[in-house]
Amino acid sequence: MKPIKLKIKTKTQNYPIIIGSNLISKFSQINKQNSLSFNKCLIVVDKNVPKKFITEIKKSLKKNEVFICFFKANETNKNFPIINKILDTLLSKNFSREDCLISIGGGITGDVSGFAASIFKRGMKFINVPTTLLSQVDSSIGGKTGINSSHGKNLIGSFYQPNLVLSDINFLKSLPKREIACGYGEILKHSLINDRKFFHFLDKNVNKILQLSSPIIEKTIYESCKIKKIVVEKDEKEKNLRKILNFGHTFGHAYEASLNYSKKLNHGEAVILGMKTALTYSFNLKLLNKRDFELIINHINSLKLTNSIDKFFTVKYLNKILFFMTKDKKNKSQKISLVLLKKIGSPLINKEFSKNKLKIFLNNYLRNKNLD
Ligand code: NAD
Ligand code: ZN
């Protein structure tokens, strides 16, 4: 199958996302085809990415001066020391703005590298090679970069668009099953906020998608990127529309935080639980009709993934969850802003709720008194 190309246009940068298989061996050629050139490059690579890909990319970049920085990607290491390490290497090797930083890894590696690229001499060339399903369908599009702080996740960062995104599906073969599920959560979110037809496609093909079967997986990645593209092109800096991408995330983030970001519940799993909660709330408020509500809930329940809230939370967690929901950086006032769903493909943003109203709902929800 030929690679698929999607062009992203933002105020600061136009760049292509290329989706396909065996792209890494043609890395240099693809850069040329996209009028991207540089002399030196620093590759920041996730330690868990199989080494054969590094050998391939080095082979393809034989005409360039190549430096490599291995990175142990986890949320604890998504912090200033790795940024300093990258910047130090770039400075000591005399990199210029016209040279390139290449990220090979998941969302963590991409966020960290993108942030370093954005502040090195006020911005250098940057290529993102996402290697997880989540990063291929979500974090590599839209230009958000950043690191964590002791005050919370992703609180320090910048908006910085890459020059190129290369999504090679071969990377996905070594990903643990739970990481595939994590990416699927975001794919499902994209369908629910924008595209009913895509939701039906997912419903029909979910098993093939989770088995990474080609060409279904390429089409799924492409459609998911296309939805994020539409949203970020209209609202690059999250003034309004981009908030729809937070569907399921206000609840989801609070679930992750309430478990201290334990490995028991990863981000995508928390988002799936968060979407179920947001759907139930939308249905309770009579925003979402029963037919769509049941269609989506049945789809989620049919997934052989983590999808049941009572495995993780009881009503004892109520205050903790509410605390983290009010702390969410997207809330401007004491009220809690939520993205809800009117029907598949139609979200509702900027709906604010008092803490008390949500407490009543969550109290019932965690006691399993709601339809679900
Ligand atoms: P990740 O980068 O931690 O990768 C998940 C795990 O898979 C890690 O253990 C990693 O080492 C491993 N891994 C990566 N590629 C692999 C491969 N090919 N084979 C085997 N193992 C591999 O996580 P993620 O889910 O890709 O991204 C989550 C991060 O992305 C979070 O920090 C989140 O804040 C961020 N994010 C950013 C945006 C954005 O717009 N910038 C959007 C969503 C999420
Ligand atoms: Zn997410």
Side-chain angles (χ1 to χ4, degrees):
M1 189 182 160
K2 264 180 72 179
I4 316 173
K5 191 166 172 172
L6 186 67
K7 286 188 180 154
I8 311 282
K9 291 187 185 134
T10 67
K11 287 197 187 82
T12 48
Q13 180 88 6
N14 295 342
Y15 63 94
I17 296 180
I18 296 163
I19 302 157
S21 61
N22 299 319
L23 301 178
I24 281 298
S25 54
K26 299 178 206 118
F27 194 76
S28 220
Q29 194 186 331
I30 294 172
N31 286 342
K32 245 184 235 140
Q33 284 161 356
N34 290 285
S35 318
L36 186 59
S37 66
F38 48 85
N39 292 323
K40 286 182 219 175
C41 62
L42 173 64
I43 305 177
V44 179
V45 57
D46 181 324
K47 277 186 175 162
N48 285 335
V49 169
K51 299 292 169 287
K52 63 172 187 205
F53 292 112
I54 314 306
T55 312
E56 274 183 43
I57 197 170
K58 270 167 85 179
K59 210 165 141 194
S60 175
L61 286 169
K62 57 182 182 291
K63 290 194 182 133
N64 298 83
E65 206 178 335
V66 181
F67 300 90
I68 300 198
C69 166
F70 288 96
F71 174 50
K72 189 164 187 288
N74 57 45
E75 293 293 341
T76 317
N77 290 345
K78 190 179 176 181
N79 61 9
F80 270 119
I82 176 67
I83 300 296
N84 281 333
K85 187 177 168 195
I86 296 171
L87 296 177
D88 254 7
T89 310
L90 294 170
L91 290 168
S92 65
K93 305 291 178 199
N94 273 324
F95 270 63
S96 82
R97 244 185 234 156
E98 295 309 310
D99 292 319
C100 190
L101 190 65
I102 302 169
S103 167
I104 306 185
I108 294 188
T109 312
D111 280 10
V112 159
S113 311
F115 183 49
S118 78
I119 57 176
F120 180 77
K121 300 190 175 170
R122 299 191 181 81
M124 67 184 295
K125 287 182 183 168
F126 175 52
I127 298 177
N128 197 350
V129 182
T131 63
T132 61
L133 186 58
L134 182 135
S135 55
Q136 296 193 349
V137 300
D138 187 355
S139 65
S140 61
I141 315 135
K144 276 192 187 177
T145 79
I147 54 173
N148 301 331
S149 127
S150 57
H151 296 273
K153 275 181 75 178
N154 298 327
L155 293 178
I156 298 158
S158 60
F159 283 100
Y160 193 66
Q161 306 295 343
N163 297 81
L164 173 75
V165 176
L166 207 74
S167 280
D168 190 327
I169 59 159
N170 287 0
F171 283 114
L172 306 179
K173 291 177 185 155
S174 53
L175 264 190
K177 272 270 163 309
R178 273 182 82 195
E179 296 299 338
I180 305 273
C182 210
Y184 188 75
E186 306 288 354
I187 294 172
L188 179 62
K189 175 192 81 178
H190 285 158
S191 79
L192 295 179
I193 58 171
N194 190 269
D195 191 340
R196 188 175 193 99
K197 215 171 125 203
F198 185 41
F199 171 77
H200 289 301
F201 170 85
L202 294 180
D203 201 29
K204 189 171 155 216
N205 293 296
V206 58
N207 291 329
K208 285 185 187 151
I209 296 168
L210 295 175
Q211 284 158 16
L212 306 173
S213 126
S214 182
I216 297 275
I217 186 68
E218 286 98 322
K219 179 175 162 57
T220 305
I221 295 170
Y222 171 74
E223 291 297 335
S224 189
C225 289
K226 209 166 77 184
I227 294 168
K228 187 150 180 195
K229 163 195 153 85
I230 294 168
V231 177
V232 299
E233 280 184 350
K234 284 190 187 147
D235 179 16
E236 193 179 343
K237 299 267 166 85
E238 199 163 319
K239 298 270 187 289
N240 204 21
L241 179 74
R242 195 167 173 163
K243 289 180 193 155
I244 64 174
L245 297 171
N246 291 326
F247 180 62
H249 279 61
T250 310
F251 289 112
H253 284 148
Y255 293 155
E256 283 181 282
S258 300
L259 292 183
N260 258 328
Y261 298 98
S262 137
K263 292 208 166 63
K264 273 193 267 170
L265 183 70
N266 66 26
H267 176 72
E269 291 163 344
V271 168
I272 292 176
L273 297 184
M275 287 195 288
K276 277 182 92 174
T277 319
L279 289 163
T280 309
Y281 199 37
S282 307
F283 179 59
N284 278 12
L285 293 172
K286 299 199 168 44
L287 265 173
L288 179 67
N289 67 46
K290 192 164 184 222
R291 187 173 159 260
D292 275 9
F293 174 69
E294 286 181 349
L295 256 176
I296 311 165
I297 295 290
N298 289 341
H299 175 78
I300 297 177
N301 289 346
S302 76
L303 305 172
K304 290 179 203 83
L305 313 174
T306 297
N307 54 25
S308 181
I309 187 123
D310 46 4
K311 276 201 199 121
F312 300 93
F313 302 102
T314 61
V315 76
K316 279 189 201 147
Y317 280 88
L318 178 61
N319 287 328
K320 216 172 190 181
I321 294 170
L322 276 168
F323 167 79
F324 286 112
M325 286 184 82
T326 33
K327 245 188 100 179
D328 193 309
K329 69 174 181 282
K330 272 136 194 160
N331 283 321
K332 289 201 177 112
S333 65
Q334 260 305 300
K335 292 207 162 186
I336 299 168
S337 178
L338 285 178
V339 182
L340 298 175
L341 207 67
K342 291 187 280 188
K343 55 183 179 190
I344 299 174
S346 293
L348 182 73
I349 50 172
N350 295 330
K351 195 116 179 100
E352 292 200 323
F353 299 91
S354 69
K355 200 172 161 184
N356 231 5
K357 199 162 177 203
L358 266 168
K359 189 171 184 171
I360 297 168
F361 163 73
L362 272 174
N363 186 29
N364 285 331
Y365 191 67
L366 295 168
R367 285 176 199 276
N368 242 331
K369 284 191 186 153
N370 298 82
L371 265 174
D372 171 319

